[in-house]
Structure formats: structure tokens, C-alpha cells
Amino acid sequence: MTTTSTSTTTRKRVLVTGGAGEMGAYACRVLAKADEVEQVLVADRDVARAEAVASELGPKAVAFALDISDADALGEALSHVDIVLNTAGPFYRFGREVLSAAIAAGTDYLDICDDWEPTLEMLELDDAARAAGVTAVIGMGASPGTSNLLALLAMNRCDTVDRVVTAWRAGALPYPAEGEEPQTNAALEHWVHNCTEPIKIWRGGRLVDALALEEVTVTYPGRAEAPVWVCGHPEPLTLPRVRPEVQESLNLMVSRRGLMEGMQRVAARVRSGDLDVTGASKQILLEPGTGGAAAGPAPTLPNLFAVAEGMKDGTRIRVGAQPIVLPNANMGEMTGYPLAIATLMLARGQVTVPGVHGPEGAIDPETYFHELSLLVEDRPDGEVVEVVSEAL
């Protein structure tokens, strides 16, 4: 299914780093069908995989051999395209480097970075990007990405905002079969890193040091208060940039209690030096009472949502936002499709703000959610995102 264009623009050449990977390949699939795109360069160190992906996508897709650790090759490649999508991690190593190369080349940039550390590093390049006339949107996946734009919808209902949180469902770990050894993977290790290492959150109107897995409570309008757990993520670092009055911003995990308690036990061992992140990733798969019904009742909160609390016309209110229609067959869709939609909006001239931004600083949420819903097969009629409020 293709997306719709709202304006006539010059078709763009787009390079996707890590284009043969799961997230990048989903973005390439959308871009290769779009009228706004002249060519998609499926860039990857694994040329065979890049060729396999490109061959599936039709004549607009071209395999491109690129190792982003080669600064000269990266700079040369970016000088010949209009937009670069960075899906090649780890972002703590390559986020700032690829963005810096894009700024030097005058090439617009988007990525799916979900680490708070490189997010801060890339935000430091805001002045350089503005001076170069480069638009960079960082963290444009599911969370961060879709979550930020849900938060923006909620905040837009308020005259002033005191607190804004984003939340996502944690779970579905790759538990081993009985008798098998636990096997870790990059996604699991990334999650464990975000749960066990020191993080930054926005509290008291400023960035402060914190530890993940703090239990707090949140209420989504129309639902009962429920426990959630703090995670290290980019949303709290970027959302206050568009609403500086915010006093608290957190990214939260919705989960069965047993899983979070198991992760708290594992995190204590990491912080004591007993386990490294790889060891902790295997250990969480062995912790008792962390999976399924053994972990406790299923959460009552939505799987992906944002809540803002503040004032409207002199009354204190709480506003919740969650997607109703969302591509969610797998993580590739949930992450790669949002990246592609934001890219097409940029290509159409619907994103025009130079500098380095979180999604909420550059992307119109109503347009985004409409375009994203068009990628859902058998899309139902009606609203595609829910925004509800209640007086406090």
C-alpha cells in the first residue's frame, strides 16, 4: 500500500544505513513505493543482504556497500543523496558520527535512536545543523517516535503542562525451552542496558541522574491508577524542549509485576558488579516468576500511550493519547514504518525546521498518524488515534 502525497516536490534520493536489517528494510519497502522518492540506496556492510532486499523492492531500490565506520566513505555517500535514514546501531557509537557527516554534507537526517546517551550527544549538534540548513529528526521509531507524537497530542490539549509521560508494554522475552541454555540477542541486551545502567530523567524542571526500575503510578483517563516502572529512554530528554514548563517527564514500562521484580533483582547484581549486561540478559530469562501468568495479572493500561497533566482554562486536567490504528505485526513494522512516514513528510516539504529535533519538535502529529494508518491492511473507518481528557 502506498502513502498519499499532499504537494508536488522534487523526488528525493534516500540512503538507508543498515538498510538490509529488520528495521531499515521495512522503511525501504515503504520508500521504494512512494512517489516522493526517486531512489532508495539500501546501504549495508553485508552487500549480499542488501542486494537481496533491493531485488524485492523493484527498480527504485539499489544495493549500496557501505561501512559507516569508514568516515571518508560515509561522507562521500552522503554528499550524493538528499536524505539519510540511520538504522545502523549501536547509536552510542554511530549516532553522532553519522549525524555529523550528514550536517557536513548538507543532507537531511532521520534515525531510530532509542538510547538516551547518544540523544544528548546529537542534540548538541543543533546549532551546527541550523547553520547548515539541515533538518535532523532523531528517535523516529515506535518509542521514541510514535510515543513522542502521542505526547504532543496530549500536551496540545493543555494550556500549560506540569507532567508528561510516555509508556510502552515490556515483555515477550525469548525464554529458552526446558533444558536449553538461555540465548541473548541485541534487542534483549539493549533493554537490559536501559534497565540496569544509570539514566537521565526530567524531574523538578531539569535533567537529573536516576536509576531505572523506579516504581511509580500513572492513570490513563477512564482507567484506574496502575503501577509502571521507569526506563532509560530519549523521550524525557526531548519533550521538555517543546514545553519548557514541564516539571516531570518520564518514559515508563507497562508490565506484569513479576517481570519487573525479576529485573530489579538482576539490576542489583549488575550494579554490584556480579553481572555484566550480557550475563544479566541471560539471567533475566532464568529468573522465576517473570513470564506469563506466573508474573501476575496482565496490565490494565494500553500497550503504547502518553499522558499529560496540566491546566486548561483554569482547570487542572489529565489527557491521554493512544493509537487506535497502528502497524504492529512485528518490531520492524512498528519502528521502520514510522521512520518512513516521517521521511516522506520531510520529502514533501511538510517538515521544514532546521536543527536537531525529537519527533515532537518537527513532525505534525495529525498528518503523521493519518499517513501511518494507511499502511495498515484492512484499515477500519473512523479515528486513528484516541485523545481523551478528564478534569482533576
Side-chain angles (χ1 to χ4, degrees):
M1 185 178 294
T2 59
T3 58
T4 59
S5 175
T6 60
S7 63
T8 302
T9 57
T10 303
R11 294 195 303 164
K12 307 297 184 181
R13 299 186 75 234
V14 182
L15 183 146
V16 184
T17 72
E22 181 181 10
M23 312 303 175
Y26 273 95
C28 289
R29 289 187 181 102
V30 175
L31 298 176
K33 297 177 182 179
D35 293 339
E36 297 87 349
V37 175
E38 175 186 350
Q39 187 177 62
V40 179
L41 299 179
V42 184
D44 208 283
R45 289 187 303 177
D46 189 331
V47 181
R49 286 183 64 193
E51 290 175 342
V53 170
S55 68
E56 297 175 359
L57 303 184
K60 286 187 182 180
V62 177
F64 188 80
L66 179 65
D67 182 347
I68 60 174
S69 66
D70 184 335
D72 291 338
L74 176 63
E76 174 65 18
L78 296 189
S79 68
H80 297 290
V81 297
D82 302 294
I83 305 171
V84 56
L85 277 58
N86 188 14
T87 71
F91 283 94
Y92 66 78
R93 180 178 176 190
F94 294 119
R96 186 185 179 103
E97 286 76 3
V98 177
L99 176 54
S100 295
I103 292 171
T107 301
D108 291 329
Y109 173 99
L110 301 96
D111 71 28
I112 54 171
C113 175
D114 60 353
D115 291 309
W116 69 265
E117 300 99 321
T119 295
L120 287 180
E121 293 176 353
M122 288 189 282
L123 289 172
E124 293 174 352
L125 299 175
D126 181 53
D127 287 343
R130 290 175 187 270
V134 167
T135 296
V137 182
I138 58 177
M140 193 57 246
S143 175
T146 299
S147 57
N148 299 63
L149 297 174
L150 291 170
L152 183 58
L153 287 174
M155 293 191 296
N156 284 347
R157 291 282 185 95
C158 303
D159 295 330
T160 60
V161 181
D162 302 322
R163 184 182 193 230
V164 59
V165 301
T166 53
W168 52 280
R169 178 74 179 268
L173 302 187
Y175 291 104
E178 186 175 353
E180 292 184 354
E181 289 294 317
Q183 298 295 321
T184 186
N185 57 42
L188 177 57
E189 291 193 18
H190 176 72
W191 180 54
V192 170
H193 167 79
N194 284 345
C195 288
T196 58
E197 301 295 326
I199 63 172
K200 293 281 189 183
I201 61 173
W202 189 264
R203 184 168 276 166
R206 62 189 181 94
L207 279 179
V208 298
D209 296 322
L211 293 176
L213 301 173
E214 173 190 354
E215 182 177 338
V216 298
T217 58
V218 69
T219 303
Y220 188 89
R223 305 196 186 202
E225 182 179 79
V228 285
W229 290 264
V230 173
C231 182
H233 242 230
E235 290 97 323
L237 281 58
T238 64
L239 289 170
R241 292 166 67 88
V242 300
R243 297 299 289 261
E245 76 273 18
V246 167
Q247 293 299 299
E248 183 174 65
S249 182
L250 305 171
N251 181 255
L252 305 168
M253 295 178 287
V254 178
S255 177
R256 297 176 189 262
R257 178 174 290 278
L259 176 58
M260 292 294 100
E261 290 180 345
M263 183 59 81
Q264 288 169 339
R265 295 191 296 270
V266 170
R269 295 180 62 183
V270 172
R271 292 163 187 163
S272 71
D274 182 43
L275 290 173
D276 61 13
V277 169
T278 299
S281 301
K282 295 179 179 180
Q283 181 59 39
I284 190 59
L285 301 177
L286 300 174
E287 286 292 308
T290 60
T300 58
L301 293 168
N303 288 340
L304 181 65
F305 68 92
V307 170
E309 295 179 1
M311 301 294 292
K312 178 68 174 179
D313 297 332
T315 299
R316 184 162 179 79
I317 65 169
R318 176 186 295 122
V319 185
Q322 66 167 321
I324 298 172
V325 180
L326 187 71
N328 61 1
N330 55 53
M331 189 53 67
E333 283 192 2
M334 291 188 70
T335 304
Y337 283 178
L339 181 66
I341 293 301
T343 302
L344 295 179
M345 292 175 66
L346 177 63
R348 295 179 197 135
Q350 295 171 321
V351 179
T352 58
V353 283
V356 182
H357 308 275
E360 68 282 358
I363 306 294
D364 175 70
E366 286 85 0
T367 303
Y368 167 79
F369 282 108
H370 169 73
E371 293 287 332
L372 188 63
S373 75
L374 298 179
L375 296 176
V376 176
E377 297 294 334
D378 300 320
R379 172 180 176 271
D381 294 331
E383 297 295 324
V384 298
V385 63
E386 171 190 89
V387 183
V388 291
S389 61
E390 60 186 10
L392 299 180

